[in-house]
Amino acid sequence: MLTRLKGKSEGKLAKQICKVVLDHFEKQYSKELEDSWNTVRDVLISPSLWQYAVLLNRFNYPFELEMDLYLKGYHQLFQGSLPYCPKSLKCYLSRTTDRLPSERHQFGNLKKYYLLNAASLLPVLALELRDGEKALDLCAAPGGKSLALLQCAWPGYLHCNEYDRLRLRWLKQTLESFIPQPLINVIKVSESDGREIGDAQPETFDKVLVDAPCSNDRSWLFSSDPQKATCRIHQRRNLPVLQMELLRSAIKALRPGGVLVYSTCTLSKAENQDVINETLNSYSNVMPVDIREIARTCSQDFTFAPTGQECGLLVIPDKGKAWGPMYVAKLKKSWSTGKR
């Protein structure tokens, strides 16, 4: 009986998959990921296999919930010897597909936890934000990475930018729901075109995160309108151009000696490794930073695909480790100047 019910449930979910997108991904990713694609595809098209991590809010710490998570068999992420992992960043994972209910936004009460794809914390850890630093989250909505940054450190100034008006509202609500007023005062939220911030604020920031607009593989697979999906696929080839423009702006906004992290939630090589290689080939003052230690330390909880880069990691969804897709690359701006 349970098997039949499960089968029915999976059948309903399968009907929601957009064949146009799946066929497009099948053609591209079977080449790029080779044998790994079969497992990745199976996880991506089966929401019943998806997992959700629980990020605890240090500004309204849920001690009772933490104990409850332990008793339910959750374990704390990032317990290995990572180069950077603040004790104030507490995230719990379950090996199963258990999901806590999302908390409702209540005015005046800070939320205690945030549900997220655990792989989205890797760009935050790669950035290595320290107390007092000036940081820019260039494409910040819905706010999960900004929130995670604030779990790690007390920045001197955090600029959260989001160009899309609807997503900007989501970002503001996330910050208001989790962050206390004294810290809100050091956060600026803007609705600027990220491609223009570098010119407006040159060499201002110690750390810049570019969580770029991309082919969001998980959501695209469940596009409800095949015509829109076809249009998206056609426009997909333009995304690397936008991503490069955002990176150029981020490099301008970064002070010499500062660190930039680029991330996407797509498997696409054109939007990941190719964009970073193009950036490194274009700038004589931007250097790759080796982050392979993150993959070595976190391999128990994440599955990584080869990228051919010391500065780039790619988390791919796997059974029992259904995190990602998430590409992360780390760059540093040197004191020399100029494009090649």
Side-chain angles (χ1 to χ4, degrees), residues 93-109:
L93 309 183
S94 171
R95 294 283 180 211
T96 69
T97 55
D98 286 350
R99 178 178 176 171
L100 292 182
S102 296
E103 287 184 286
R104 289 187 177 180
H105 179 65
Q106 293 181 325
F107 183 77
N109 289 330

Side-chain angles (χ1 to χ4, degrees), residues 53-58 61-63 66 69-70 75-79 85-93 112-114 116 121 148 151-152:
V54 184
L55 178 66
L56 303 187
N57 185 13
R58 67 166 168 162
Y61 202 81
F63 292 99
E66 185 175 33
L69 293 176
Y70 268 126
H75 69 279
Q76 191 175 338
L77 188 58
F78 308 127
Q79 289 292 283
C85 188
K87 290 181 180 177
S88 55
L89 181 73
K90 293 279 189 76
C91 183
Y92 284 86
L93 309 183
K112 294 179 178 178
Y113 63 90
Y114 184 85
L116 77 171
L121 292 178
Q151 302 302 313
C152 293

Side-chain angles (χ1 to χ4, degrees), residues 101-144:
S102 296
E103 287 184 286
R104 289 187 177 180
H105 179 65
Q106 293 181 325
F107 183 77
N109 289 330
L110 296 180
K111 291 185 179 181
K112 294 179 178 178
Y113 63 90
Y114 184 85
L115 301 180
L116 77 171
N117 186 320
S120 64
L121 292 178
L122 296 179
V124 172
L125 291 177
L127 197 64
E128 298 191 27
L129 184 65
R130 310 285 178 184
D131 290 349
E133 289 185 325
K134 290 184 178 180
L136 168 63
D137 189 348
L138 194 64
C139 313

Side-chain angles (χ1 to χ4, degrees), residues 182-316:
L183 199 49
I184 288 284
N185 293 335
V186 302
I187 301 172
K188 176 183 177 180
V189 178
S190 67
E191 190 184 348
S192 303
D193 185 334
R195 294 169 292 186
E196 298 172 359
I197 285 182
D199 288 326
Q201 300 184 65
E203 298 191 353
T204 300
F205 299 96
D206 303 294
K207 304 284 169 69
V208 178
L209 175 62
V210 183
D211 188 40
C214 66
S215 314
N216 186 329
D217 294 351
R218 280 191 190 235
S219 66
W220 280 28
L221 272 169
F222 292 87
S223 303
S224 56
D225 186 333
Q227 283 187 319
K228 278 187 181 177
T230 303
C231 185
R232 269 181 173 173
I233 288 168
H234 182 70
Q235 294 172 344
R236 193 181 192 207
R237 68 192 70 173
N238 298 324
L239 279 169
V241 176
L242 170 61
Q243 291 155 349
M244 278 296 305
E245 289 171 344
L246 289 168
L247 275 171
R248 287 190 199 105
S249 177
I251 291 164
K252 285 181 185 176
L254 193 64
R255 67 162 179 81
V259 166
L260 183 155
V261 168
Y262 173 81
S263 61
T264 74
C265 53
T266 180
L267 299 162
S268 175
K269 182 174 176 287
E271 298 176 52
N272 295 338
Q273 297 99 306
D274 291 354
V275 167
I276 290 302
N277 289 338
E278 177 71 18
T279 301
L280 290 169
N281 290 333
S282 301
Y283 288 87
S284 59
N285 64 332
V286 175
M287 311 301 293
V289 179
D290 190 338
I291 55 172
R292 289 174 296 174
E293 184 60 30
I294 293 177
R296 283 192 286 267
T297 307
C298 297
S299 59
Q300 186 177 343
D301 290 305
F302 300 101
T303 297
F304 295 90
T307 61
Q309 297 172 317
E310 294 180 357
C311 69
L313 303 175
L314 179 63
V315 178
I316 57 173

Side-chain angles (χ1 to χ4, degrees), residues 63-84:
F63 292 99
E64 289 183 11
L65 174 63
E66 185 175 33
M67 183 59 67
D68 193 39
L69 293 176
Y70 268 126
L71 294 174
K72 286 181 177 177
Y74 283 70
H75 69 279
Q76 191 175 338
L77 188 58
F78 308 127
Q79 289 292 283
S81 54
L82 277 170
Y84 169 89

